[in-house]
Amino acid sequence: APVAAVVAALAAGPAAAQPLGQRYAVLVGVNEYDHPKLLPLQYAVNDVTELAGVLAKTGYATVLLTADAGKKAPALAPTRANI
């Protein structure tokens, strides 16, 4: 629900027209952690992927770091070094 509220607010657009500089977003989505006490998540990657699309439509330059993206391009893996 918190992600849905952010998505809705961003989709509504800026409250007042004002000149903006370039905006950037580095989004990290991790469903499975390499730690025995952290349970897998179901929707983190889906949520961050959707948020990247919404932010891109509002003028953000986005970088999406997920395990799936990292399989295609190692620089997009959600690792400490890439963040």
Side-chain angles (χ1 to χ4, degrees):
V3 172
V6 171
V7 170
L10 290 170
Q18 52 184 300
L20 299 173
Q22 181 64 48
R23 298 176 289 175
Y24 301 92
V26 176
L27 305 167
V28 181
V30 178
N31 283 344
E32 296 183 22
Y33 293 91
D34 293 330
H35 192 286
K37 292 187 178 182
L38 296 175
L39 298 175
L41 302 173
Q42 291 183 343
Y43 307 110
V45 172
N46 290 343
D47 289 347
V48 78
T49 301
E50 185 175 335
L51 182 57
V54 171
L55 289 172
K57 289 178 185 176
T58 63
Y60 278 81
T62 63
V63 176
L64 182 61
L65 305 178
T66 66
D68 290 341
K71 290 176 186 174
K72 297 174 186 170
L76 298 178
T79 64
R80 180 182 301 190
N82 288 344
I83 295 170

